[in-house]
Amino acid sequence: MGLFAVLAAACGGGDGSTGSSGTTPPPDTPVTVLDPTCGVEATVSKTPTYAEDVAPILMKNCATCHTNGGIAPFPLLDYEQTKPLAGLLAERTTAREMPPFNPNNCGHCNTFQDARWLTSEEIATISAWAEAGAPAGDLTKAPAKPEPPTGLADANLTIDMGVAYTPDGSKVDDYRCFLVDPGITADKFLTAYEVVPGDPRVVHHVIAFALDTAAAEAEAESLDAAEAGPGYTCFGGPGVGASRFVVGWAPGGGPTRFPAGTGLRLEGGRKMVVQVHYNLASGAFPDQTRIAAVVQDSVEKEATISRIAAQGINLPPQQPMTTVTNDEPVPAGAGTVTLWGVAPHMHGTGKTLHVEAEHEGQKQCLLDVGNWDFHWQSFSMYETPPKVQGGDTIRITCGYDTTGRDTVTKQGEGTEDEMCIAFFYVTR
């Protein structure tokens, strides 16, 4: 059963229900919870209450998606909404399926800015609260619901779909690409952006691609013309050559600012492709998503998005874990390269992804994904950007679970195909 189905079932009174609704918590009983992802234990000595201990965690980390009309299938904005789901919240947070975030943020392989990541102590608090019967505590002390995001106040460019699109309600997920004209006549540098979903109930993630050649534009125009209605069906990417990933967003993400003095070039006079992943768990609703952006005429360092990928993927069926790997050298004349951010990418059978650099026999972890979720892809910026040198070797290893497949899974853009890619936002 998929995650949304499990959560929806719990909302209807499944086994997420837990004990007392009184404001007086039960006697304190220490609870020790293992955080299996980070490999550490955390102990909660005092019985947590919703108002003083759990609600602050949820308002900070969950309420952006679990709000009225949000992408999540139910809100988590008050005690009455949250109490019946206490057991489920403990289960999903301990498994680190929620909040959703693909890169490991434990600290043994980097940490990331604005990571949707609970501390081991926060996970233990939720578990101890559920085990104690989900006591309310003094609800007058519960934090206020988070204010709507204020947006990118200095935006000077809008990238708009241009027309409303109603996703295909016969699908669980509808991936649609829209050819848009950003309206710039000379080269600009993208330094910040904010994705503004037209209807947050259906917009699951957004990726924008710059098109650098007339041939790429023509390919996209042909795909657009071949299908009725706005845009065309796409999966994994825009389905055209000479395209560059420049914007990535998933629910819960606010404005993204690239490191000061850096930016991605947008070619003057060229169109872009905006890919929107619509999830129809809450129904099919019209959407006209836009991207507010900050562009500058010049930057100190032009950034690029580089990638390392494993090719020739050929995965046997019925395997709980099968891996592919690839080594690529950093070009000898590259000098010192700073890696500011990373975006991993696999498809539905993906489970793990690991990238490391080797310099003169010493290995450096660049990215570790231990529980891949295709539905929550985005760029993550490092808190301390790692560096690599010309001549270093970069290795990527991806692991897949093909137990649900009866035939070989091959590399490709389709839903049933697979990929193994890590995109890096870099400067020299």
Side-chain angles (χ1 to χ4, degrees), residues 201-222:
R201 293 174 293 179
V202 293
V203 178
H204 204 294
H205 79 246
V206 176
I207 301 175
F209 300 85
L211 303 179
D212 290 335
T213 67
E217 282 189 15
E219 288 180 72
E221 288 168 351
S222 177

Side-chain angles (χ1 to χ4, degrees), residues 2-7 35 37 57-58 61-63 65-66 71-74 76 88-102 115-119 122-123 126 204 251 371 373 375-376:
L3 177 58
F4 281 115
V6 171
L7 294 178
D35 176 355
T37 301
I57 299 172
L58 301 181
N61 298 282
C62 309
C65 294
H66 287 272
I71 187 65
F74 54 84
L76 290 173
L88 189 62
L89 292 178
E91 176 189 336
R92 291 293 187 260
T93 54
T94 300
R96 290 204 180 273
E97 294 177 5
M98 288 287 154
F101 189 68
N102 277 313
R116 297 185 297 272
W117 191 266
L118 301 185
T119 66
E122 289 171 329
I123 291 173
I126 294 172
H204 204 294
N371 189 23
D373 187 340
H375 295 294
W376 298 97

Side-chain angles (χ1 to χ4, degrees), residues 62 73 189 208 241 258 293 322:
C62 309
F189 291 89
F258 294 133
T322 182

